Amino acid sequence: RPRADQACRRSAAFTRTLFGGNVAAIVSQAGDLGETEMQIVAREVAASVTGFLVPAGEADFGVRFFTPMQEIDMCGHGLIALCRRLVDMGKVELQAAATVEKTIWTKAGVVPVIISPEGDFPLVMMGQAPPVFRSGDLDRDALYQALGLRAEQVAPDLPLEFASAALEHLFVAVRDRAALAGLQPDCSLLTQTSNDIGVVSIAVLTLDTTDPAATVRCRDFCPAAGIPEAAGSGTTNSALLCYLVRNGALSWPQ
């Protein structure tokens, strides 16, 4: 088996800044590691997610994702980190002003990616299936207590709604950024609530932003998967965009 320092690298997605973005670990020489060993490695590495390069089947590459607590079917920032690692390893070769199209097998399905050079960093664009929205039984008082949220802080014009994409999400819109910043979730209660309603993440959002380049501010809580709060999420943000369009907060260009 490869030594850990030869096989495992950390990478931060969604950033060009050192110590910014969302950190993932990539094990590029998983060898014959089994599921139990992968989970042990992920727990030891203690990144929000660790991706293991595995045989791809019908795709160009394959990956399995583990949080410190469990395996998850898909991870957006982990997949982007994997693509960067593949470029660094020379398994994906980039040329100036050219794009490369690849497919990556995950337990959520085969994900198409487009990788192109952008300065010193590869730009990775990944495709995702449209989410399926649903309603469900929800104890709002228990949810608000777990989040440290008051009922009057919830936005009246956007619904609490479940979305099933690569992962299961619940979206909760609040009135303003003060309500979002002031959340003090109880991790134990939020884990129980997440398990009770069958979601991996509870994303709390507001359209009240100070950055003119930002449409929405969001905090993504995933304690049921061993991630108290994600710094950034590709799967959540993809479903979030569809949630905003679906509920009239954004218009889709014709």
Side-chain angles (χ1 to χ4, degrees), residues 94-172:
L94 297 181
Q95 297 179 353
T99 61
V100 176
E101 297 184 12
K102 296 293 183 180
T103 54
I104 300 178
W105 176 88
T106 73
K107 293 190 79 171
V110 175
V111 179
V113 297
I114 298 175
I115 309 171
S116 56
E118 190 175 271
D120 296 331
F121 295 82
L123 174 65
V124 182
M125 303 291 289
M126 64 179 180
Q128 293 192 56
V132 176
F133 291 91
R134 62 178 175 86
S135 58
D137 293 333
L138 186 63
D139 184 337
R140 294 188 177 224
D141 291 339
L143 172 65
Y144 298 160
Q145 180 183 1
L147 287 170
L149 180 67
R150 300 191 307 274
E152 62 268 22
Q153 294 177 304
V154 176
D157 49 349
L158 287 170
L160 273 68
E161 198 162 30
F162 295 88
S164 176
L167 301 171
E168 296 286 335
H169 309 276
L170 172 66
F171 292 109
V172 182

Side-chain angles (χ1 to χ4, degrees), residues 6-30:
Q6 294 175 326
C8 185
R9 294 290 186 274
R10 286 174 177 256
S11 179
F14 311 132
T15 185
R16 291 178 175 273
T17 304
L18 186 64
F19 304 124
N22 198 5
V23 173
I26 301 299
V27 177
S28 54
Q29 300 177 35

Side-chain angles (χ1 to χ4, degrees), residues 162-188:
F162 295 88
S164 176
L167 301 171
E168 296 286 335
H169 309 276
L170 172 66
F171 292 109
V172 182
V174 296
R175 291 179 180 270
D176 52 44
R177 59 184 181 272
L180 185 68
L183 294 177
Q184 295 184 338
D186 182 313
C187 194
S188 179

Side-chain angles (χ1 to χ4, degrees), residues 79-93:
L79 188 140
I80 289 173
L82 171 68
C83 290
R84 170 60 192 262
R85 181 67 180 137
L86 292 172
V87 171
D88 291 345
M89 294 170 63
K91 291 183 177 293
V92 173
E93 296 183 1

